[in-house]
Amino acid sequence: MVSGTPKRIDLGCGAVKREGFFGVDRIAFDGVDLVLDLSGPWPWDDGTVSEYHCSHVLEHFDAVGRAHLVNEMYRTLEPGGTVTL
């Protein structure tokens, strides 16, 4: 997977990434650190992310896609980690 996994990830950050977060979006806006289609496999190892922020993203996915997002966050989140939706 990815070495040096970021600890705080802003999923679907667009052009307005949260301060102190690693920005992920499917479009290469300014400030996006990784262009990634969230409906596919995520590059982070199990239990390595401490925090996810995900604002105005879920509505872009159908039920299966939303389940995939939650499953991937659960898989990659470290014990005691947080998710803000």
Side-chain angles (χ1 to χ4, degrees):
M1 295 280 186
V2 173
S3 63
T5 297
K7 297 299 277 183
R8 301 171 78 202
I9 300 175
D10 186 350
L11 297 174
C13 66
V16 188
K17 177 176 63 177
R18 287 180 64 90
E19 186 174 333
F21 282 72
F22 182 84
V24 177
D25 204 290
R26 66 181 180 95
I27 299 171
F29 294 107
D30 286 340
V32 171
D33 299 299
L34 176 66
V35 175
L36 179 69
D37 179 356
L38 294 174
S39 65
W42 293 11
W44 303 293
D45 291 324
D46 297 355
T48 57
V49 176
S50 64
E51 183 177 0
Y52 280 109
H53 177 80
C54 186
S55 179
H56 298 286
V57 174
L58 293 178
E59 65 267 22
H60 297 283
F61 292 88
D62 62 13
V64 172
R66 288 190 298 271
H68 174 73
L69 248 62
V70 171
N71 286 337
E72 282 295 276
M73 283 189 276
Y74 181 79
R75 177 187 68 79
T76 58
L77 201 62
E78 66 187 22
T82 59
V83 174
T84 303
L85 300 174

